[in-house]
């Protein structure tokens, strides 16, 4: 990063997070406050709106980083076939970790689990699911790991990875307790691997595959 210093400014990170995730965090917190309204779903319209929003906010966030003197190429992933294979393995490892934690800490039946209802009620088309999965994985990991974890690397793994997991959790609160646990575990695995390798593309692939599997398999996405 061209403008990176040994002591990353928290104000810069706060602005970047506000641009890229602020709206999603706000909506997620509102969902918790209003006790997870059941109207939410992963419909084609909702997914396409999310894609458009991520494209706009992503462009603004990258423009902000460029204005701060960053080389955008340092923040974005470098696709490769090897990274694709590593990403598939990373997804398998993260999914296995989520399964084990979910088995050790089973969800309580008396708690609201909105993510299950949202997935059950949604019937998105496979094309939309594929597109949103690819974009969402790229969007989130670019700013969570490619910027946030990398930017705070000088402060140690616990803080650098922990910040990305915290932000990741905040905009996934709408998924309820069960979804939140999976998000935290998934984020820790991806963050830990990125910390050791400093390679973003496998994390992007793993995240995209997770979204694709979750949306296509659990909702029974339609071919058209």
């Amino acid at each position: 990063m061209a403008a990176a210093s040994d002591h990353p400014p928290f104000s810069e990170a706060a602005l970047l997070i506000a641009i890229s995730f602020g709206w999603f965090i706000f909506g997620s917190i509102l969902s918790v406050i209003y006790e997870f309204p059941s109207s939410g779903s992963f419909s084609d319209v909702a997914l396409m709106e999310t894609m458009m929003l991520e494209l706009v906010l992503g462009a603004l966030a990258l423009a902000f980083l460029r204005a701060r003197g960053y080389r955008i190429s340092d923040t974005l992933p470098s696709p490769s076939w090897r990274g694709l294979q590593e990403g598939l393995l990373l997804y398998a490892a993260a999914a296995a970790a989520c399964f084990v934690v979910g088995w050790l800490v089973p969800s309580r039946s008396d708690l609201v689990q909105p993510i299950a209802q949202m997935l059950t009620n949604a019937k998105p088309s496979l094309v939309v699911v594929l597109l949103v999965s690819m974009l969402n994985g790229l969007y989130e990991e670019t700013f969570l790991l490619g910027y946030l974890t990398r930017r705070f690397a000088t402060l140690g793994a616990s803080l650098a990875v922990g910040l990305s997991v915290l932000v990741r959790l905040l905009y996934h609160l709408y998924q309820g307790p069960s979804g939140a646990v999976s998000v935290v575990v998934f984020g820790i695995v991806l963050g830990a691997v990125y910390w050791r390798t400093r390679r973003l593309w496998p994390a992007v692939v793993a995240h995209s595959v997770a979204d694709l599997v979750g949306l296509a398999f659990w909702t029974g996405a339609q071919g058209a």
Side-chain angles (χ1 to χ4, degrees):
M1 294 184 179
S5 65
D6 292 335
H7 303 287
F10 281 87
S11 58
E12 175 192 278
L15 282 172
L16 191 282
I17 292 170
I19 294 171
S20 53
F21 297 110
W23 177 253
F24 301 111
I25 292 174
F26 176 71
S28 193
I29 292 175
L30 280 183
S31 181
V32 174
I33 292 175
Y34 289 104
E35 299 181 348
F36 308 103
S38 59
S39 58
S41 70
F42 295 111
S43 65
D44 274 357
V45 173
L47 292 177
M48 291 176 70
E49 288 177 348
T50 298
M51 282 192 290
M52 294 302 298
L53 190 56
E54 287 183 345
L55 287 172
V56 172
L57 296 179
L60 291 174
L62 290 176
F64 170 74
L65 291 179
R66 186 178 181 87
R68 291 282 299 172
Y70 287 84
R71 291 191 298 268
I72 301 303
S73 59
D74 287 345
T75 304
L76 296 173
S78 300
S80 68
W81 286 110
R82 177 186 174 188
L84 175 62
Q85 296 170 353
E86 293 175 349
L88 294 175
L89 292 175
L90 179 56
Y91 161 73
C98 291
F99 175 81
V100 171
V101 172
W103 179 71
L104 293 174
V105 187
S107 59
R108 289 168 46 186
S109 58
D110 60 319
L111 294 178
V112 177
Q113 303 295 346
I115 185 61
Q117 184 174 1
M118 292 172 71
L119 289 172
T120 300
N121 293 339
K123 293 298 179 182
S125 63
L126 188 57
V127 172
V128 172
V129 166
L130 180 60
L131 290 175
V132 76
S133 297
M134 294 170 60
L135 177 59
N136 195 56
L138 174 63
Y139 181 86
E140 292 189 24
E141 302 311 327
T142 290
F143 298 115
L144 288 177
L145 300 181
Y147 169 77
L148 197 58
T149 296
R150 177 173 175 151
R151 189 68 171 94
F152 286 87
T154 57
L155 300 183
S158 297
L159 181 59
V161 175
L163 280 174
S164 69
V165 173
L166 175 61
V167 175
R168 192 187 300 266
L169 172 62
L170 286 175
Y171 64 81
H172 282 103
L173 289 175
Y174 71 91
Q175 294 186 4
S178 179
V181 171
S182 296
V183 165
V184 169
V185 174
F186 198 84
I188 291 175
V189 173
L190 264 61
V193 172
Y194 176 76
W195 176 262
R196 292 184 60 87
T197 65
R198 294 298 198 276
R199 299 179 62 228
L200 186 59
W201 182 238
V204 171
V205 172
H207 189 142
S208 296
V209 172
D211 285 351
L212 179 61
V213 170
L215 289 171
F217 180 77
W218 293 109
T219 67
Q222 306 298 308

